Amino acid sequence: KLQDPIVSKSSIPTYLLGIGAMFVTLLFQTRDQDPFNLPKFIALLALSIFGLYLIFTGDLNRIKTKQYGFFVTLIFLFLTSFLASSLYSGNTYQSFVGVYQRNLGLMTYACFSLLFFAVFFQSSLLNTKKFLMIFVATGTLEMLYGLIQLSGLDPLKWKNPYSPIIGTFGNPNYQSAFLGITAAAAVSLIVTSAGFVRLFLIFQVVCSLFLILSSNSSQGFMSF
């Protein structure tokens, strides 16, 4: 009989991590010169500290297993190669932090890796679906905000020359890709849901795909 090594542990810290990731996704600050990327970057750094705590309180024995150790090795090699290229790039700030209004340097991917490991060492059969539900809920909020932006009822008058559907990312391509990924996650929940929940998830998927089409961004359909 297969047993999850941490199935009996409390999942509250793990759920807090998922809710924290939702907060980072939805966060923006209208008073900043960079209203989207900088607030998310700062919040991501703070969340990663909590993720580091969860790593050392999780089941570290998983890394010794063949299937888990393989993924850990891949992430380690990725970060090592990223660090090496950053050190010899000639532009330390851009390599470690990222270009202005993108912040996709080594620090961001290191934070992503920490969050990956935090979930990796804390996840169980009991909380995997909860993570998926938090992810789909985030997509639902982005979908609803996208409909508001498409209808021209957004109280915040963002200026984007490409598409009004920018969500909380400030970029129609990012919004489109995120809607595509969360719509795919919603499809998986449709299979195991029933009644009103299933109907609502179908509604979310249809609306998300409609918003992707309206945004004129192909990333969403490729992600889906």
Side-chain angles (χ1 to χ4, degrees), residues 22 34-35 57 73 77 80 85 105 113 134 148 152 159 209 217 222:
M22 172 191 280
D34 182 359
T57 58
T73 302
L77 291 176
T80 302
S85 62
S113 299
I134 293 173
I148 293 174
K159 294 181 180 180
L209 296 179
S217 174
M222 290 189 290

Side-chain angles (χ1 to χ4, degrees), residues 4 6-24 47 50-51 53-54 57 115 118-135 137-138:
D4 193 300
I6 61 170
V7 75
S8 62
K9 293 183 65 175
S10 173
S11 296
I12 293 179
T14 320
Y15 298 154
L16 290 177
L17 185 66
I19 294 172
M22 172 191 280
F23 174 76
V24 173
L47 183 63
F50 179 61
Y53 163 76
L54 292 183
T57 58
L115 296 181
V119 175
F120 183 78
F121 292 123
Q122 290 279 349
S123 62
S124 71
L125 297 176
L126 289 178
N127 59 31
T128 299
K129 187 174 181 180
K130 294 294 192 306
F131 268 119
L132 191 61
M133 293 172 64
I134 293 173
F135 186 53
T138 309

